[in-house]
Amino acid sequence: MVKGVHKSVSDASYETCRSTIGHTLDSAGHELSHNEPLSQETACGNTHTFQIQVDADAPGGAAFVRVCLTDGTLKVLTCNRYGG
């Protein structure tokens, strides 16, 4: 489960909106799964609390979770990896 808050100071365009994609990774860094954010999880000119489920349906589960901040077009702006 990935929980957080998106903050977008402008709704001028999709590029100023913010969303999040979560990825689960195995110990070698290979992607197990990722979520597809829903439109209601995107902040455009506001602040929005989100909670997303990212599965790790593999023996032993995920070793890492990568969380990426995106704009409203899902262009990745930055990512951080957690775990392991």
Side-chain angles (χ1 to χ4, degrees):
M1 184 69 63
V2 178
K3 297 178 182 182
V5 177
H6 296 127
K7 183 172 184 173
S8 166
V9 296
S10 172
D11 63 356
S13 70
Y14 286 120
E15 288 79 17
T16 61
C17 298
R18 296 294 178 258
S19 191
T20 299
I21 298 175
H23 306 260
T24 53
L25 310 170
D26 66 14
S27 60
H30 300 113
E31 184 175 302
L32 300 172
S33 69
H34 67 276
N35 77 314
E36 292 292 334
L38 303 173
S39 60
Q40 66 264 29
E41 296 173 335
T42 301
C44 290
N46 59 11
T47 300
H48 179 74
T49 301
F50 69 93
Q51 178 174 313
I52 53 176
Q53 180 72 34
V54 185
D55 298 325
D57 189 15
F64 305 99
V65 175
R66 183 175 61 232
V67 180
C68 299
L69 178 68
T70 71
D71 68 9
T73 67
L74 301 183
K75 175 185 171 189
V76 173
L77 303 173
T78 188
C79 296
N80 286 315
R81 191 169 92 166
Y82 303 94

